[in-house]
Amino acid sequence: TGPLQVQALSGELLDRVIKENDWKVFSDGAGRYLLRVGFKEEMGGSLDIYLTIEHEGQVFAMRAVSNQMIPHEKFEAAVWACNEYNMTRRWPKAYLNVEDGDKAKYASIDLEMQLPTEEGVFAALLDEFIHVGIRGAFNFWEWAHEEKGL
């Protein structure tokens, strides 16, 4: 199967893209993968990149989460920063993920991209999509750290 042959999204296809990039990932065997990216001074932290096959292979999703947690007193500034980012940049989508509602003392900023794959996908597109998402996540955090103090 060549890099430009359209095929169903599968764990085997994602495994091949991961292997070709020589990424070290954790996998649960159910279509969910975790790629850890080390600390970078210019973004003030490190990233966890979650790669998932969703909706029975009809959607490929990528979510990047920094180890840089946002304290409650910066929630409003973080929401404004995410809004500004989403208005001026195409991807990834940024949002403040508050899991405990009003009681939350900390929250994360999640960066997300989704690719519809119901009609199939080819390896080169999947590879490029992941790279764009990773670059976008780094760009967001460098901007948020340097320009917004997050």
Side-chain angles (χ1 to χ4, degrees), residues 46-112:
S46 62
L47 289 176
D48 283 346
I49 311 289
Y50 296 91
L51 308 172
T52 57
I53 297 172
E54 300 177 357
H55 303 287
E56 299 173 0
Q58 295 183 22
V59 175
F60 176 71
M62 181 180 158
R63 186 169 49 98
V65 180
S66 173
N67 70 331
Q68 189 78 4
M69 297 300 286
I70 307 299
H72 187 269
E73 61 272 8
K74 288 191 172 188
F75 281 9
E76 185 175 349
V79 168
W80 281 107
C82 289
N83 285 350
E84 179 181 335
Y85 182 85
N86 290 335
M87 288 173 43
T88 59
R89 289 158 179 94
R90 188 171 305 271
W91 50 68
K93 172 181 69 174
Y95 59 92
L96 185 68
N97 186 358
V98 182
E99 293 186 6
D100 294 329
D102 294 338
K103 300 177 202 170
K105 293 183 179 170
Y106 292 92
S108 64
I109 291 179
D110 292 6
L111 304 161
E112 203 172 85

Side-chain angles (χ1 to χ4, degrees), residues 111-124:
L111 304 161
E112 203 172 85
M113 290 176 50
Q114 298 177 3
L115 178 68
T117 57
E118 184 175 3
E119 299 300 322
V121 67
F122 51 95

